[in-house]
Amino acid sequence: MNRHVVDTNVLIVASGEHPDSPFASDRHPVEDAEQSEKVLNWLMDFEASVGRMVVDKDWAIIGEYQNKLTDQDYGQRVLFEKMSRSEIDYVDIEWVEDPALPDTEKVARLEASLQPVIHDLADTKMVAACFNANKSGMPCNIVNACDTDWYDWQEALEAEGVIVEQIIEDWSREKWRAHHNR
C-alpha cells in the first residue's frame, strides 16, 4: 500500500531522530534508539517514494501536525515535500456539530459502529480520512509509531476496512500490554 494517513506521532518520533531537525529526541516517548530509528527510516523511505499522504480538505490533520512541530522539524518538511510533489490526497470529512465537545478539537463523524469505540477525539479525523479515502477508491491505511490506542480499536477498525500499520509493532504491542496489565 502506498497511500497513508500518517499519525502525528510518526512525524514527532522521526523529527526527534533526524540529525537536521531541531525537535529533541527526548520529547517523544520511544526511548529505545533502535526502535525510534525504525520510525525515522520509515518516514525517510516514505519521503523518497512516490507514496501518497492522505489528509482532510479542512486541514485539521495538517493543523495537528503544525501544532506539534515547527516548519523546521523533519516531519513537517516531509509534509511540505509531499505537497510540492503533489503526492497528497485531500478527502472530505464530515464534522460533528456538538456544543458539548471541546472547542479546541474538531471531531469527525464516524461510522455508527466506530463511534462508541474511538474514544480519542483527535484520532477521529485520522480514522475518517482513511475510511473516506478507501470509500473513494483510494486504498489507504493509517501508519502509527507509538500510540497504543490503535490496538484497542483494531477489531472494530478492521471490520470497517481501516487497517493500521504499526511501524514498531513489538515495541508498541509491549507498551499496550504493560498499560493493560497495570
Side-chain angles (χ1 to χ4, degrees):
M1 180 151 320
N2 72 348
R3 185 175 283 117
H4 310 285
V5 174
V6 180
D7 193 310
T8 309
N9 67 62
V10 173
L11 305 182
I12 288 172
V13 173
S15 293
E17 299 307 311
H18 195 279
D20 297 332
S21 182
F23 196 90
S25 65
D26 62 356
R27 292 180 54 205
H28 68 69
V30 182
E31 68 282 348
D32 181 319
E34 183 178 325
Q35 298 302 308
S36 55
E37 186 78 15
K38 288 179 185 176
V39 177
L40 173 61
N41 289 337
W42 184 92
L43 192 60
M44 291 174 71
D45 290 345
F46 180 61
E47 178 188 19
S49 76
V50 294
R52 303 184 68 79
M53 190 177 258
V54 175
V55 297
D56 61 287
K57 289 180 178 175
D58 296 322
W59 280 47
I61 293 172
I62 292 174
E64 182 173 304
Y65 296 163
Q66 292 172 330
N67 284 338
K68 304 286 183 176
L69 297 166
T70 69
D71 290 352
Q72 290 75 41
D73 291 316
Y74 178 62
Q76 279 280 80
R77 294 196 333 255
V78 171
L79 170 70
F80 300 147
E81 182 63 25
K82 290 293 184 184
M83 287 176 154
S84 74
R85 297 191 320 230
S86 298
E87 293 173 352
I88 295 198
D89 294 310
Y90 297 90
V91 296
D92 286 317
I93 290 180
E94 183 179 348
W95 302 102
V96 174
E97 300 289 334
D98 184 346
L101 292 171
D103 288 344
T104 56
E105 192 68 53
K106 290 184 92 169
V107 178
R109 184 171 308 285
L110 299 175
E111 293 298 300
S113 64
L114 295 175
Q115 290 173 13
V117 176
I118 310 300
H119 59 79
D120 184 334
L121 300 180
D123 286 335
T124 60
K125 60 185 168 289
M126 305 281 179
V127 172
C130 184
F131 181 86
N132 291 343
N134 287 332
K135 189 175 163 185
S136 301
M138 298 184 291
C140 174
N141 67 10
I142 296 171
V143 178
N144 177 55
C146 57
D147 183 349
T148 60
D149 288 345
W150 295 109
Y151 291 112
D152 293 333
W153 313 328
Q154 183 174 0
E155 187 176 323
L157 289 170
E158 289 178 358
E160 293 293 345
V162 175
I163 305 300
V164 179
E165 177 182 341
Q166 302 287 347
I167 298 173
I168 48 175
E169 169 78 29
D170 293 341
W171 184 93
S172 294
R173 182 74 69 179
E174 183 55 37
K175 293 293 182 187
W176 178 77
R177 279 192 203 102
H179 175 76
H180 285 279
N181 290 335
R182 279 192 277 176

Tab-separated table of all heavy atoms in Angstrom, residues 102-139:
chain	number	residue	atom	x	y	z
A	102	PRO	N	-15.281	19.790	23.153
A	102	PRO	CA	-14.309	20.869	23.392
A	102	PRO	C	-14.115	21.729	22.145
A	102	PRO	O	-14.082	21.217	21.037
A	102	PRO	CB	-13.023	20.121	23.742
A	102	PRO	CG	-13.300	18.678	23.622
A	102	PRO	CD	-14.728	18.464	23.284
A	103	ASP	N	-13.990	23.048	22.341
A	103	ASP	CA	-13.787	23.980	21.227
A	103	ASP	C	-12.452	23.757	20.527
A	103	ASP	O	-12.277	24.127	19.382
A	103	ASP	CB	-13.829	25.432	21.729
A	103	ASP	CG	-15.236	25.850	22.098
A	103	ASP	OD1	-16.195	25.168	21.690
A	103	ASP	OD2	-15.367	26.856	22.816
A	104	THR	N	-11.520	23.194	21.238
A	104	THR	CA	-10.171	23.066	20.704
A	104	THR	C	-10.000	21.905	19.736
A	104	THR	O	-8.972	21.807	19.082
A	104	THR	CB	-9.162	22.872	21.845
A	104	THR	OG1	-9.567	21.734	22.617
A	104	THR	CG2	-9.102	24.110	22.730
A	105	GLU	N	-10.980	21.045	19.636
A	105	GLU	CA	-10.796	19.839	18.839
A	105	GLU	C	-11.940	19.643	17.862
A	105	GLU	O	-13.101	19.638	18.255
A	105	GLU	CB	-10.728	18.623	19.772
A	105	GLU	CG	-10.265	17.370	19.101
A	105	GLU	CD	-8.809	17.452	18.686
A	105	GLU	OE1	-7.966	17.761	19.555
A	105	GLU	OE2	-8.523	17.218	17.508
A	106	LYS	N	-11.609	19.496	16.571
A	106	LYS	CA	-12.615	19.119	15.597
A	106	LYS	C	-12.795	17.606	15.707
A	106	LYS	O	-11.812	16.862	15.747
A	106	LYS	CB	-12.175	19.499	14.189
A	106	LYS	CG	-12.166	20.993	13.937
A	106	LYS	CD	-11.810	21.306	12.515
A	106	LYS	CE	-13.122	21.402	11.750
A	106	LYS	NZ	-12.948	21.946	10.402
A	107	VAL	N	-14.036	17.181	15.743
A	107	VAL	CA	-14.340	15.762	15.880
A	107	VAL	C	-15.023	15.293	14.601
A	107	VAL	O	-16.047	15.861	14.191
A	107	VAL	CB	-15.236	15.504	17.105
A	107	VAL	CG1	-15.581	14.016	17.213
A	107	VAL	CG2	-14.558	16.001	18.374
A	108	ALA	N	-14.457	14.275	13.992
A	108	ALA	CA	-15.012	13.753	12.745
A	108	ALA	C	-16.161	12.803	13.030
A	108	ALA	O	-16.120	12.038	13.991
A	108	ALA	CB	-13.921	13.032	11.957
A	109	ARG	N	-17.169	12.875	12.157
A	109	ARG	CA	-18.280	11.925	12.263
A	109	ARG	C	-17.797	10.586	11.696
A	109	ARG	O	-17.262	10.526	10.592
A	109	ARG	CB	-19.487	12.424	11.484
A	109	ARG	CG	-20.716	11.529	11.642
A	109	ARG	CD	-21.960	12.142	11.035
A	109	ARG	NE	-22.231	13.497	11.489
A	109	ARG	CZ	-22.727	13.842	12.699
A	109	ARG	NH1	-23.017	12.910	13.573
A	109	ARG	NH2	-22.938	15.108	13.003
A	110	LEU	N	-17.982	9.547	12.472
A	110	LEU	CA	-17.542	8.207	12.078
A	110	LEU	C	-18.740	7.314	11.799
A	110	LEU	O	-19.873	7.642	12.161
A	110	LEU	CB	-16.704	7.584	13.204
A	110	LEU	CG	-15.436	8.324	13.592
A	110	LEU	CD1	-14.781	7.654	14.803
A	110	LEU	CD2	-14.453	8.382	12.417
A	111	GLU	N	-18.472	6.179	11.187
A	111	GLU	CA	-19.495	5.167	11.018
A	111	GLU	C	-20.061	4.823	12.388
A	111	GLU	O	-19.339	4.847	13.394
A	111	GLU	CB	-18.894	3.912	10.365
A	111	GLU	CG	-18.440	4.124	8.943
A	111	GLU	CD	-19.586	4.508	8.017
A	111	GLU	OE1	-20.527	3.714	7.889
A	111	GLU	OE2	-19.534	5.609	7.444
A	112	ALA	N	-21.344	4.459	12.435
A	112	ALA	CA	-22.017	4.190	13.710
A	112	ALA	C	-21.281	3.134	14.534
A	112	ALA	O	-21.186	3.251	15.763
A	112	ALA	CB	-23.453	3.758	13.463
A	113	SER	N	-20.730	2.139	13.875
A	113	SER	CA	-20.040	1.069	14.602
A	113	SER	C	-18.755	1.562	15.284
A	113	SER	O	-18.286	0.959	16.253
A	113	SER	CB	-19.708	-0.090	13.660
A	113	SER	OG	-18.788	0.346	12.670
A	114	LEU	N	-18.175	2.640	14.769
A	114	LEU	CA	-16.916	3.142	15.324
A	114	LEU	C	-17.110	4.235	16.374
A	114	LEU	O	-16.211	4.497	17.166
A	114	LEU	CB	-16.023	3.679	14.193
A	114	LEU	CG	-15.533	2.644	13.184
A	114	LEU	CD1	-14.764	3.319	12.053
A	114	LEU	CD2	-14.678	1.585	13.867
A	115	GLN	N	-18.274	4.867	16.380
A	115	GLN	CA	-18.494	5.995	17.293
A	115	GLN	C	-18.283	5.636	18.764
A	115	GLN	O	-17.646	6.395	19.487
A	115	GLN	CB	-19.878	6.603	17.065
A	115	GLN	CG	-19.959	7.324	15.735
A	115	GLN	CD	-21.364	7.800	15.414
A	115	GLN	OE1	-22.238	7.813	16.265
A	115	GLN	NE2	-21.577	8.185	14.170
A	116	PRO	N	-18.779	4.481	19.248
A	116	PRO	CA	-18.539	4.174	20.672
A	116	PRO	C	-17.144	3.610	20.948
A	116	PRO	O	-16.761	3.435	22.093
A	116	PRO	CB	-19.615	3.125	20.986
A	116	PRO	CG	-19.896	2.473	19.680
A	116	PRO	CD	-19.676	3.522	18.630
A	117	VAL	N	-16.391	3.346	19.912
A	117	VAL	CA	-15.092	2.682	20.062
A	117	VAL	C	-13.936	3.687	20.108
A	117	VAL	O	-13.062	3.588	20.969
A	117	VAL	CB	-14.872	1.680	18.894
A	117	VAL	CG1	-13.495	1.040	18.975
A	117	VAL	CG2	-15.972	0.629	18.879
A	118	ILE	N	-13.931	4.638	19.199
A	118	ILE	CA	-12.809	5.572	19.076
A	118	ILE	C	-13.008	6.679	20.117
A	118	ILE	O	-13.737	7.645	19.891
A	118	ILE	CB	-12.717	6.173	17.656
A	118	ILE	CG1	-12.765	5.078	16.598
A	118	ILE	CG2	-11.458	7.040	17.530
A	118	ILE	CD1	-11.658	4.052	16.669
A	119	HIS	N	-12.367	6.537	21.251
A	119	HIS	CA	-12.573	7.468	22.360
A	119	HIS	C	-11.633	8.676	22.312
A	119	HIS	O	-11.877	9.668	22.988
A	119	HIS	CB	-12.446	6.758	23.703
A	119	HIS	CG	-11.113	6.110	23.906
A	119	HIS	ND1	-9.995	6.808	24.276
A	119	HIS	CD2	-10.730	4.828	23.751
A	119	HIS	CE1	-8.977	5.982	24.346
A	119	HIS	NE2	-9.387	4.774	24.030
A	120	ASP	N	-10.567	8.608	21.540
A	120	ASP	CA	-9.657	9.748	21.413
A	120	ASP	C	-10.198	10.641	20.298
A	120	ASP	O	-10.105	10.310	19.111
A	120	ASP	CB	-8.247	9.250	21.094
A	120	ASP	CG	-7.234	10.391	21.050
A	120	ASP	OD1	-7.627	11.547	20.770
A	120	ASP	OD2	-6.049	10.120	21.288
A	121	LEU	N	-10.772	11.766	20.682
A	121	LEU	CA	-11.439	12.634	19.708
A	121	LEU	C	-10.488	13.106	18.622
A	121	LEU	O	-10.884	13.271	17.469
A	121	LEU	CB	-12.068	13.830	20.423
A	121	LEU	CG	-13.125	13.488	21.485
A	121	LEU	CD1	-13.666	14.763	22.124
A	121	LEU	CD2	-14.249	12.640	20.907
A	122	ALA	N	-9.227	13.325	18.967
A	122	ALA	CA	-8.248	13.792	17.980
A	122	ALA	C	-8.012	12.748	16.889
A	122	ALA	O	-7.702	13.093	15.749
A	122	ALA	CB	-6.933	14.152	18.658
A	123	ASP	N	-8.158	11.492	17.231
A	123	ASP	CA	-7.908	10.438	16.247
A	123	ASP	C	-9.093	10.193	15.319
A	123	ASP	O	-8.951	9.489	14.315
A	123	ASP	CB	-7.519	9.132	16.944
A	123	ASP	CG	-6.101	9.178	17.490
A	123	ASP	OD1	-5.278	9.956	16.967
A	123	ASP	OD2	-5.822	8.434	18.447
A	124	THR	N	-10.263	10.763	15.628
A	124	THR	CA	-11.415	10.541	14.748
A	124	THR	C	-11.142	11.065	13.342
A	124	THR	O	-11.597	10.473	12.366
A	124	THR	CB	-12.703	11.192	15.311
A	124	THR	OG1	-12.510	12.607	15.450
A	124	THR	CG2	-13.085	10.569	16.655
A	125	LYS	N	-10.392	12.157	13.238
A	125	LYS	CA	-10.111	12.698	11.895
A	125	LYS	C	-9.201	11.762	11.107
A	125	LYS	O	-9.333	11.652	9.885
A	125	LYS	CB	-9.543	14.113	11.961
A	125	LYS	CG	-8.253	14.274	12.725
A	125	LYS	CD	-7.866	15.744	12.808
A	125	LYS	CE	-6.756	16.004	13.782
A	125	LYS	NZ	-7.162	15.842	15.188
A	126	MET	N	-8.276	11.087	11.781
A	126	MET	CA	-7.395	10.129	11.103
A	126	MET	C	-8.221	8.947	10.574
A	126	MET	O	-8.044	8.510	9.439
A	126	MET	CB	-6.322	9.604	12.067
A	126	MET	CG	-5.475	10.656	12.741
A	126	MET	SD	-4.204	11.281	11.658
A	126	MET	CE	-3.420	12.494	12.693
A	127	VAL	N	-9.115	8.448	11.429
A	127	VAL	CA	-9.953	7.310	11.043
A	127	VAL	C	-10.872	7.711	9.889
A	127	VAL	O	-10.998	6.979	8.899
A	127	VAL	CB	-10.780	6.808	12.258
A	127	VAL	CG1	-11.798	5.765	11.825
A	127	VAL	CG2	-9.858	6.251	13.333
A	128	ALA	N	-11.523	8.857	10.005
A	128	ALA	CA	-12.448	9.297	8.957
A	128	ALA	C	-11.718	9.523	7.637
A	128	ALA	O	-12.232	9.171	6.573
A	128	ALA	CB	-13.164	10.570	9.396
A	129	ALA	N	-10.526	10.096	7.682
A	129	ALA	CA	-9.764	10.333	6.450
A	129	ALA	C	-9.431	9.008	5.772
A	129	ALA	O	-9.600	8.863	4.551
A	129	ALA	CB	-8.486	11.122	6.747
A	130	CYS	N	-9.000	8.032	6.536
A	130	CYS	CA	-8.661	6.721	5.967
A	130	CYS	C	-9.915	6.041	5.425
A	130	CYS	O	-9.919	5.542	4.298
A	130	CYS	CB	-7.987	5.855	7.030
A	130	CYS	SG	-7.417	4.263	6.403
A	131	PHE	N	-10.978	6.036	6.206
A	131	PHE	CA	-12.226	5.400	5.778
A	131	PHE	C	-12.729	6.043	4.486
A	131	PHE	O	-13.106	5.351	3.545
A	131	PHE	CB	-13.282	5.521	6.892
A	131	PHE	CG	-14.590	4.881	6.545
A	131	PHE	CD1	-14.791	3.528	6.770
A	131	PHE	CD2	-15.620	5.624	5.982
A	131	PHE	CE1	-15.995	2.934	6.428
A	131	PHE	CE2	-16.824	5.042	5.643
A	131	PHE	CZ	-17.022	3.690	5.867
A	132	ASN	N	-12.733	7.373	4.437
A	132	ASN	CA	-13.257	8.067	3.262
A	132	ASN	C	-12.365	7.890	2.035
A	132	ASN	O	-12.862	7.826	0.915
A	132	ASN	CB	-13.479	9.549	3.579
A	132	ASN	CG	-14.630	9.738	4.553
A	132	ASN	OD1	-15.452	8.836	4.751
A	132	ASN	ND2	-14.692	10.892	5.184
A	133	ALA	N	-11.055	7.817	2.248
A	133	ALA	CA	-10.159	7.533	1.116
A	133	ALA	C	-10.460	6.150	0.550
A	133	ALA	O	-10.606	5.990	-0.667
A	133	ALA	CB	-8.703	7.636	1.561
A	134	ASN	N	-10.581	5.177	1.436
A	134	ASN	CA	-10.910	3.812	0.977
A	134	ASN	C	-12.240	3.792	0.235
A	134	ASN	O	-12.374	3.165	-0.816
A	134	ASN	CB	-10.956	2.839	2.159
A	134	ASN	CG	-9.578	2.520	2.702
A	134	ASN	OD1	-8.588	2.572	1.978
A	134	ASN	ND2	-9.511	2.193	3.979
A	135	LYS	N	-13.214	4.469	0.786
A	135	LYS	CA	-14.557	4.508	0.193
A	135	LYS	C	-14.543	5.190	-1.175
A	135	LYS	O	-15.350	4.871	-2.036
A	135	LYS	CB	-15.487	5.265	1.155
A	135	LYS	CG	-16.931	5.218	0.826
A	135	LYS	CD	-17.724	5.914	1.942
A	135	LYS	CE	-19.116	6.264	1.480
A	135	LYS	NZ	-19.829	7.037	2.500
A	136	SER	N	-13.599	6.102	-1.375
A	136	SER	CA	-13.485	6.830	-2.647
A	136	SER	C	-12.603	6.111	-3.661
A	136	SER	O	-12.238	6.697	-4.689
A	136	SER	CB	-12.899	8.230	-2.390
A	136	SER	OG	-13.706	8.948	-1.508
A	137	GLY	N	-12.218	4.881	-3.359
A	137	GLY	CA	-11.397	4.124	-4.298
A	137	GLY	C	-9.919	4.458	-4.243
A	137	GLY	O	-9.192	4.196	-5.203
A	138	MET	N	-9.486	5.058	-3.128
A	138	MET	CA	-8.061	5.345	-2.938
A	138	MET	C	-7.582	4.502	-1.755
A	138	MET	O	-7.594	4.971	-0.614
A	138	MET	CB	-7.837	6.837	-2.645
A	138	MET	CG	-8.273	7.753	-3.756
A	138	MET	SD	-7.887	9.495	-3.448
A	138	MET	CE	-8.992	9.901	-2.091
A	139	PRO	N	-7.191	3.241	-2.009
A	139	PRO	CA	-6.800	2.361	-0.902
A	139	PRO	C	-5.757	3.028	0.004
A	139	PRO	O	-4.762	3.574	-0.466
A	139	PRO	CB	-6.211	1.136	-1.603
A	139	PRO	CG	-6.783	1.184	-2.974
A	139	PRO	CD	-7.007	2.628	-3.305
